[in-house]
Amino acid sequence: EAGVAQSPRYKIIEKRQSVAFWCNPISGHATLYWYQQILGQGPKLLIQFQNNGVVDDSQLPKDRFSAERLKGVDSTLKIQPAKLEDSAVYLCASSRDLGSGASTDTQYFGPGTRLTVL
Amino acid sequence: AQKVTQAQTEISVVEKEDVTLDCVYETRDTTYYLFWYKQPPSGELVFLIRRNSFDEQNEISGRYSWNFQKSTSSFNFTITASQVVDSAVYFCALLRNYQLIWGAGTKLIIKP
């Protein structure tokens, strides 16, 4: 079974530029998560989708970050405009969670995208 | 409050030594789930184990073992006969209301 796919693996941009990350979850997984991981810290949840609906985006800086999962499969996370403090690894995860309500299934992570903002 | 504490910031041992990574959690929930993930230098978070709060059986998987004790709110992870490939950051996490609450991670260095 293929794991969670992410691209690109690395990205370097100037501040105020825009950037987009792509994620394809494990086949059949209904729930998709985007995390931000700053060096030396644990991951921080940015947004959670179940199918193509948003479950939680309370920690997403909506003035500059946006995410979509239009067909309930792959997803895109965008930052526009980027700031220096956005330098981090952006991790995508997915879990099976076919039912509604709180997700309790194990989250499986992709390789991440390492973003450097200069 | 929900919280996960990994008090060991960094551990360094020589290959073949046994090493235990500590995890202490706080929750008021009666049903909860605990996880360990490994993050090697490549950056990917690799799932290691999931434990339900109502299952206190310890688990062994090859050189890895986990000791879950509800009485002390601990879920410790032991690597027996460590190898250089075990070098990574290890995270303990608590799942509550679909959110993973992460510990700060323990960086494990295995010296050859």
Side-chain angles (χ1 to χ4, degrees):
Chain A
E1 180 182 70
V4 177
Q6 288 188 249
S7 66
R9 291 295 313 276
Y10 305 92
K11 191 73 177 179
I12 301 174
I13 61 173
E14 301 278 337
K15 61 182 179 183
R16 292 188 288 273
Q17 285 186 327
S18 62
V19 64
F21 313 126
W22 175 81
C23 171
N24 192 37
I26 293 172
S27 178
H29 279 199
T31 305
L32 185 148
Y33 312 78
W34 282 103
Y35 288 87
Q36 180 192 60
Q37 187 179 21
I38 292 173
L39 188 64
Q41 299 180 17
K44 169 189 167 185
L45 179 68
L46 292 176
I47 188 167
Q48 178 189 350
F49 294 95
Q50 186 161 51
N51 297 308
N52 59 352
V54 176
V55 175
D56 183 358
D57 63 358
S58 58
Q59 298 193 87
L60 186 73
K62 297 181 186 63
D63 57 335
R64 297 183 302 104
F65 287 64
S66 65
E68 59 183 15
R69 193 185 185 200
L70 293 176
K71 296 182 179 178
V73 180
D74 57 352
S75 175
T76 303
L77 176 69
K78 296 179 181 176
I79 307 175
Q80 182 180 6
K83 293 185 175 181
L84 296 177
E85 58 260 37
D86 298 332
S87 293
V89 176
Y90 291 84
L91 295 160
C92 180
S94 70
S95 61
R96 193 161 45 99
D97 295 317
L98 297 177
S100 59
S103 305
T104 60
D105 280 356
T106 298
Q107 297 179 27
Y108 296 92
F109 286 79
T113 297
R114 188 177 299 273
L115 174 68
T116 302
V117 182
L118 303 175
Chain B
Q2 323 295 320
K3 187 179 175 183
V4 176
T5 301
Q6 295 181 256
Q8 305 149 310
T9 304
E10 182 174 307
I11 301 175
S12 181
V13 300
V14 177
E15 198 172 21
K16 298 183 183 176
E17 286 186 14
D18 299 347
V19 58
T20 295
L21 309 182
D22 297 333
C23 174
V24 174
Y25 62 92
E26 294 177 29
T27 182
R28 294 180 183 174
D29 295 343
T30 54
T31 300
Y32 51 90
Y33 304 86
L34 294 163
F35 297 80
W36 276 95
Y37 285 86
K38 173 183 179 180
Q39 190 169 42
S42 60
E44 182 171 355
L45 275 164
V46 179
F47 165 71
L48 295 178
I49 191 171
R50 165 196 174 100
R51 175 62 70 220
N52 301 329
S53 55
F54 42 86
D55 180 2
E56 286 196 73
Q57 275 194 326
N58 292 327
E59 177 135 351
I60 298 175
S61 176
R63 296 183 297 105
Y64 295 172
S65 62
W66 290 268
N67 182 285
F68 176 36
Q69 292 197 344
K70 288 179 74 171
S71 60
T72 56
S73 297
S74 65
F75 187 38
N76 296 336
F77 172 31
T78 297
I79 302 174
T80 303
S82 60
Q83 299 176 3
V84 173
V85 293
D86 296 326
S87 296
V89 179
Y90 290 85
F91 289 95
C92 179
L94 169 69
L95 182 65
R96 181 182 180 271
N97 286 344
Y98 62 77
Q99 282 213 19
L100 279 171
I101 299 164
W102 298 84
T106 296
K107 183 176 184 179
L108 178 62
I109 300 169
I110 310 296
K111 299 177 183 176

